[in-house]
Amino acid sequence: MTAPDVAVPPAPPPDLAPESPPQGPWVWMKENLFSSRFNSILTVVTVLLIAAFIRGILGFIFDPGREWAAVGTNMRLYMTQAYPEDQFVRVWISLGIVMTLAGLSVAAWGVGGRISINKLTKGVQSGAAFVAILALLGPPDVNVDTGIPVLGAFVDFAIEAVALTGGRLVAFVVAAALFGAAYVVRRSYGARAKDITVHLLWVVLAVIVAVIVALWTVPIGDYAFIEGQPVYNSGTVALTTKGPWTVMAIVLVVAYLVGRAVRPALPERGMRVSLVLAWLLSLPVILLIIMRDPDWDAANPDAGGFDFLPTEDWQMLLVVGLVGAAIIYALSLPAMGEWARIAGGVLLVVALVAWAKPDWVPLPLVDLELIRARLVVTLLAMFALGAPTFAGDKESRPRYIAIWLVFVSLVVYFLAAINTPSTLDTPGAAFLGGLTLTFVLALTSIFLSFPIGVLMALGRTSTM
């Protein structure tokens, strides 16, 4: 006779030693940096060497002999290069689109966690301490020379560091005020500082507000380049800079609030998919339409009212779009069977042949001498090859054909924009430069790397 099964409760976890309460920075420094005479000497020497190194770098940067005013004077070149100043509104519109999509995306995905009062105040104190150290190590207004042998350089450095004046004094006072305020807040909450949290987005909003207030109040200076000569005006930055940036911050916050308001009323998946598509379309729209501003009338003076595309482009769109829809519909029918995949493969081979020998492909209604025409035909071949798989049933077939028509229309439109003269008056053919070009290259790399990464991941998991 066997004993009945009896549920045995799990063994309790072993007793752990209670966590020692924090002893403060002084105890930590004593245990880790000044635990012995040798460690104390090593710590002092290391701190002095690091301070002298940082002081040398800051001294080089802020030396009056350095012509750093050229950086502010040429800031416009660093940001937008030779983009016409009278069309800067296009730059701000593009940035406004990005800010709007960013605010809506943060709301749609619910980005942002919570941070405890303890971590927040410690972070503020760390930042304030860093600013205070920079103020102490910054170049002084008056150089001190005590003449003391051997240790004179260190004594001079110490006297110059504590002799805070001008901008160094302001930075040190602000840092000290932030450090003290964070300490008072954390002490007022006591042990509850680890449990009470605030939303991280409120912290981000506070940082944005601080930056905007700094643009309007901190006397950074207004640099310009007028008639070949650098011009510097004291005070805050120019109104043409701080005004639009203030508007951009407001747009970001308003977009987030709108996204939070409409999120409960919209399907979550639909809202996120729409935003992803909007992000994908934002790059070519900003780059090719808003920033480049194609001159459709100049490219197609005889279009007669249908002038949003050059003649050969919209004719190619009608032919390839409608013919492609018919081909996709036919190849997606279940009755075609494996012949649909064979036909799609043949069409892909024909499209590849058109790249090498366009005159071999008998398509009289499409000028295959144009690179954009060959690209559109290649896209049609790829859609046709995927039709049996993605449009094999009655429900998905109209959706797949609609995706083809929308996709080919956008591709033809953007290709036409590339081949249309621009209204911009810039030296040379390039209208992008500086930070704008950096952003375009970065976003393009990200967009291209994602599908390539997906294809490589699929290949890695495939058994073929």
Side-chain angles (χ1 to χ4, degrees):
M1 182 175 181
T2 60
D5 295 336
V6 178
V8 179
D15 294 334
L16 301 177
E19 182 181 356
S20 58
Q23 302 295 326
W26 302 113
V27 175
W28 182 89
M29 292 173 62
K30 183 178 179 180
E31 293 177 352
N32 295 274
L33 301 179
F34 300 96
S35 57
S36 64
R37 183 177 300 176
F38 176 77
N39 285 345
S40 301
I41 296 174
L42 186 62
T43 299
V44 172
V45 173
T46 303
V47 169
L48 291 176
L49 290 176
I50 294 175
F53 177 74
I54 297 176
R55 177 65 180 279
I57 294 178
L58 294 178
F60 172 81
I61 294 175
F62 295 102
D63 189 342
R66 306 274 87 80
E67 295 293 338
W68 294 114
V71 177
T73 303
N74 296 298
M75 186 58 67
R76 199 187 86 183
L77 295 177
Y78 299 145
M79 299 296 288
T80 59
Q81 201 181 24
Y83 201 83
E85 186 175 1
D86 57 346
Q87 298 202 45
F88 265 11
V89 65
R90 298 182 177 275
V91 178
W92 294 115
I93 291 175
S94 303
L95 185 59
I97 293 175
V98 174
M99 290 294 184
T100 302
L101 292 177
L104 293 175
S105 300
V106 170
W109 273 270
V111 177
R114 302 187 70 87
I115 184 172
S116 65
I117 297 294
N118 185 56
K119 289 185 178 181
L120 178 60
T121 53
K122 286 185 177 180
V124 172
Q125 285 184 318
S126 300
F130 179 74
V131 174
I133 291 174
L134 291 182
L136 290 173
L137 299 180
D141 296 334
V142 179
N143 294 324
V144 178
D145 186 9
T146 58
I148 300 176
V150 184
L151 299 177
F154 294 105
V155 176
D156 298 343
F157 169 75
I159 296 175
E160 292 172 354
V162 299
L164 295 171
T165 56
R168 296 171 66 226
L169 178 61
V170 173
F172 188 84
V173 169
V174 172
L178 288 175
F179 190 93
Y183 177 78
V184 170
V185 170
R186 187 168 67 250
R187 287 298 300 269
S188 64
Y189 282 97
R192 298 181 303 157
K194 292 184 177 180
D195 301 325
I196 299 178
T197 60
V198 296
H199 206 289
L200 194 59
L201 290 180
W202 285 109
V203 180
V204 176
L205 179 61
V207 173
I208 293 175
V209 172
V211 171
I212 297 302
V213 171
L215 286 177
W216 288 87
T217 57
V218 178
I220 302 175
D222 179 11
Y223 296 87
F225 201 75
I226 301 176
E227 296 181 356
Q229 297 296 327
V231 177
Y232 170 75
N233 297 318
S234 60
T236 59
V237 296
L239 182 62
T240 53
T241 296
K242 58 189 178 186
W245 276 113
T246 303
V247 174
M248 292 300 105
I250 295 174
V251 168
L252 177 64
V253 175
V254 171
Y256 171 76
L257 296 177
V258 171
R260 284 289 301 271
V262 302
R263 181 181 175 185
L266 298 177
E268 181 178 337
R269 185 173 182 273
M271 184 177 181
R272 293 181 177 182
V273 171
S274 300
L275 284 172
V276 171
L277 294 177
W279 277 111
L280 293 175
L281 285 175
S282 64
L283 180 61
V285 168
I286 291 175
L287 179 62
L288 302 177
I289 307 301
I290 299 177
M291 295 286 290
R292 191 173 181 271
D293 188 26
D295 189 0
W296 299 112
D297 294 332
N300 189 24
D302 300 326
F306 198 68
D307 57 355
F308 73 97
L309 286 178
T311 304
E312 64 270 11
D313 289 287
W314 67 260
Q315 289 180 348
M316 177 183 63
L317 173 60
L318 290 177
V319 172
V320 178
L322 297 179
V323 173
I327 294 175
I328 292 173
Y329 179 83
L331 296 182
S332 63
L333 295 175
M336 292 291 295
E338 288 299 322
W339 288 104
R341 292 181 172 83
I342 296 175
V346 172
L347 185 58
L348 182 60
V349 172
V350 171
L352 296 177
V353 171
W355 284 95
K357 296 291 184 180
D359 53 331
W360 287 7
V361 180
L363 290 179
L365 297 179
V366 179
D367 186 4
L368 291 179
E369 294 296 333
L370 300 174
I371 294 180
R372 52 189 183 274
R374 282 175 274 177
L375 179 60
V376 170
V377 172
T378 305
L379 291 176
L380 170 59
M382 297 175 65
F383 267 82
L385 191 61
T389 303
F390 300 105
D393 57 273
K394 186 179 297 185
E395 295 181 356
S396 60
R397 190 173 301 125
R399 184 167 57 249
Y400 191 75
I401 295 175
I403 293 175
W404 154 252
L405 293 175
V406 173
F407 188 77
V408 72
S409 300
L410 291 174
V411 169
V412 171
Y413 182 72
F414 291 132
L415 289 176
I418 295 175
N419 292 277
T420 301
S422 174
T423 62
L424 302 179
D425 184 15
T426 56
F431 66 95
L432 292 178
L435 187 62
T436 310
L437 179 60
T438 302
F439 279 145
V440 170
L441 293 177
L443 293 175
T444 304
S445 301
I446 294 172
F447 286 157
L448 292 178
S449 63
F450 181 75
I452 294 175
V454 171
L455 291 176
M456 294 181 68
L458 294 175
R460 183 181 179 87
T461 58
S462 175
T463 57
M464 297 177 60

